[in-house]
Structure formats: structure tokens, C-alpha cells
Amino acid sequence: MSVVALPNTSNVDEIVEIMMRDGGVIIENFISDDILDTLRSDLSPVLDQTPPAVDDNFLGKRTRRLSRLFSRSRAMADIATNPLYHDVARAILCAPVHVWLGEDRTEMIPELRVGMAQAIQIWPGETAQPLHRDDNVFLWRHPTKGREARVQIMIAITDFTHANGGTLVVPGSHLWDDERMPEKHEALPTEMKAGSALIFLGSTYHAGGTNLSDAPRTGLTMALDAAHLRQEENMYLTLAPDVVASFPEHIQRLLGWSAGRNFMGWIEADGQLIDPIELVSNGRALPLAGDLEAR
């Protein structure tokens, strides 16, 4: 048994159907060779200088982790807006919610946010992570009954194999309740060529695998989350306003510099509650100055 793999010519409906059944799917040749080369040239020199995260069984004793990726590679924007990934995430996460505003029955649709992004390099001798769900950060309860919080991607920067720690996935585990414990024998290794990607739900049990090979395994993960949830990675401190302003508006919105249609994340300026995208697009300083002086 293996994780289902589809060509990059597959349509969104087909991908969503398999994800809602299995919890994840591999998309072959997800990114182009040019984008793959750019990611390698931008991130590899920094990873080479990055020590292992900590002496920890979860983050890894022989695993290097690199974040703040939108400040390190312009190719991150290509991943966040890749039509297959973006549209699959929108189809799964952006279900409408109906609320009363007085006598008006109003539809609100959550938008998407980049919740986190990280390059993960597993070195030889690293043992497997504990199986876990990434929507644990939201204290999400399961089964989700179709109301998912996160659609995540893991892109193979180097080939992923069973031997080198290809991401472990437990098919169907997104349907389990919170009382059922995942077991190692239920997990399947993700095997895919560099440039391919695993797209999976935040409710799916998964883990980094054991690297029994003689070379590091490098992947790049990103989460697209429903925008009414707090971002796991604090983009407001890791990305300078001028860096954010240098991206197109749709990337600025994905990074969190927008209140969205439900107006979550507004800011007051001159007595008005405004969408912060207005500050970014107009080149106004962030954060706005207040009345207090730093002492």
C-alpha cells in the first residue's frame, strides 16, 4: 500500500475527493525545475549554516529547520499561489458560514492565510518523529465533520524515500476521533521525486521519518489555513514591512496583512477602522505611532 500519487494535470475536484477520503495525496512534478533550482540556491547555503533545532524527540536531534522563508526566497510566492495547492485549499477551507446581523442573514466566507513555512532537513541517523496532527496548534477537535482548519504541503527538495525519512502519513486518520492513538505500523512513507509534493489535511496524522541513508533529506512545508485562525508562525515579527510591501497584494493578503471580508485583523487609523492592506499599499509605516513614548 502507498500514498496515492496523481499527475500535476489532475483537477481540483479529483484531488479534493482523494484528500477527503485518505487525508493526503502526492502531486507529481508539483513545481517546475526552475522553481526547484531557485529554492535550492536560496535556502541550501542557509541550511548549511543552520544547527539542529534542539536536542528534542519531536523537533529532532539531527534535523535542521529554517523558517522566515518569505524573507529568504521569492519562490515562496510561487508555492503559495500555485493553482493546484491554492485552489484545493480554498475548496476545503473556505466553506461559507451564515450569521445574523440584526434581521439580516449574512454569509461570511473565510479567506486563506499562510500559517507557517519551514524548510526541514533530516540528516542520517535521525529517528522518526512522533505521529501527530498539525491542527493541534489550534486545539482543533476531531472528527472535524468537514470543517478543516489547515491544508498543508510538503515539497520534496531532494528525493523522498522510505530509507531517507520520507514523510510518514496515516491514511484515513483525519476521520478519527481524538481518543484513537496512531500506531507506527499504520503509517506509510511518502516516496516521491524532487519537485513533487504531498498535500495533506491538518487533521491527518503524519511525521518525519527515520533517515537510514547516507545523505540528508530536504523538504519544504507550508500551511494554508482558514484566515480566522491565528497564524502559527508570527509573520508580523519575522517579515519587515518593506519586505511585505515588495510582494504583490495577493501575497500580502496571504501573509496576513489584510482584515479579510470578516474584518478579522483591522487596525485603527485616524479614528477609522481600516483594513491594514491600505497601510501596506500606501507605504505607511507599520506599526502606527501611538501617543506613548518608549522609555
Side-chain angles (χ1 to χ4, degrees), residues 259 263 265-276 278-279 284-291:
F263 220 53
W266 54 265
I267 189 169
E268 180 269 324
D270 301 323
Q272 304 299 313
L273 305 186
I274 66 171
D275 189 327
E278 295 182 31
L279 303 183
R284 296 171 65 179
L286 286 176
L288 294 177
D291 296 325

Side-chain angles (χ1 to χ4, degrees), residues 150-223:
R150 166 171 289 185
V151 173
Q152 192 149 340
I153 195 165
M154 173 64 79
I155 301 171
I157 304 300
T158 60
D159 291 351
F160 275 35
T161 67
H162 186 8
N164 73 6
T167 303
L168 301 171
V169 179
V170 182
S173 58
H174 62 300
L175 302 174
W176 299 356
D177 64 27
D178 291 307
E179 302 307 312
R180 180 171 175 180
M181 182 185 73
E183 298 187 27
K184 292 179 180 180
H185 69 85
E186 298 174 296
L188 300 178
T190 300
E191 299 193 286
M192 55 187 177
K193 295 293 185 182
S196 296
L198 168 72
I199 305 179
F200 59 103
L201 300 173
S203 54
T204 301
Y205 278 106
H206 67 285
T210 300
N211 191 344
L212 300 174
S213 74
D214 57 3
R217 183 231 79 178
T218 305
L220 188 152
T221 191
M222 179 189 293

Side-chain angles (χ1 to χ4, degrees), residues 240-252:
D242 58 337
V243 172
V244 176
S246 70
F247 283 108
E249 183 177 316
H250 62 284
I251 299 297
Q252 295 169 1

Side-chain angles (χ1 to χ4, degrees), residues 12-25 88-89 91-93 144-151 171-176 199-204:
V12 169
D13 290 342
E14 182 179 9
I15 296 170
V16 169
E17 181 181 0
I18 292 176
M19 287 184 64
M20 299 311 290
R21 183 193 71 193
D22 296 348
V25 63
V88 164
I92 292 173
L93 300 177
T144 65
K145 299 179 181 179
R147 193 79 197 183
E148 296 288 338
R150 166 171 289 185
V151 173
S173 58
H174 62 300
L175 302 174
W176 299 356
I199 305 179
F200 59 103
L201 300 173
S203 54
T204 301

Side-chain angles (χ1 to χ4, degrees), residues 124-147:
E126 181 64 279
T127 56
Q129 268 187 313
L131 291 163
H132 61 282
R133 287 166 156 157
D134 276 356
D135 65 4
N136 287 341
V137 297
F138 308 119
L139 304 182
W140 216 245
R141 299 294 83 193
H142 307 90
T144 65
K145 299 179 181 179
R147 193 79 197 183

Side-chain angles (χ1 to χ4, degrees), residues 22-42:
D22 296 348
V25 63
I26 293 171
I27 304 298
E28 298 171 335
N29 301 310
F30 174 77
I31 57 175
S32 68
D33 290 342
D34 287 345
I35 293 176
L36 181 60
D37 289 342
T38 298
L39 290 169
R40 284 172 170 166
S41 62
D42 289 344

Side-chain angles (χ1 to χ4, degrees), residues 14-85:
E14 182 179 9
I15 296 170
V16 169
E17 181 181 0
I18 292 176
M19 287 184 64
M20 299 311 290
R21 183 193 71 193
D22 296 348
V25 63
I26 293 171
I27 304 298
E28 298 171 335
N29 301 310
F30 174 77
I31 57 175
S32 68
D33 290 342
D34 287 345
I35 293 176
L36 181 60
D37 289 342
T38 298
L39 290 169
R40 284 172 170 166
S41 62
D42 289 344
L43 302 181
S44 292
V46 191
L47 275 169
D48 289 343
Q49 302 300 317
T50 302
V54 288
D55 185 10
D56 181 273
N57 288 331
F58 185 80
L59 295 178
K61 300 176 182 179
R62 296 178 179 271
T63 297
R64 299 181 181 187
R65 296 174 181 272
L66 185 67
S67 297
R68 294 185 283 133
L69 299 188
F70 279 85
S71 67
R72 288 171 158 145
S73 179
R74 290 283 170 184
M76 295 301 298
D78 295 294
I79 297 170
T81 57
N82 177 284
L84 277 185
Y85 179 36

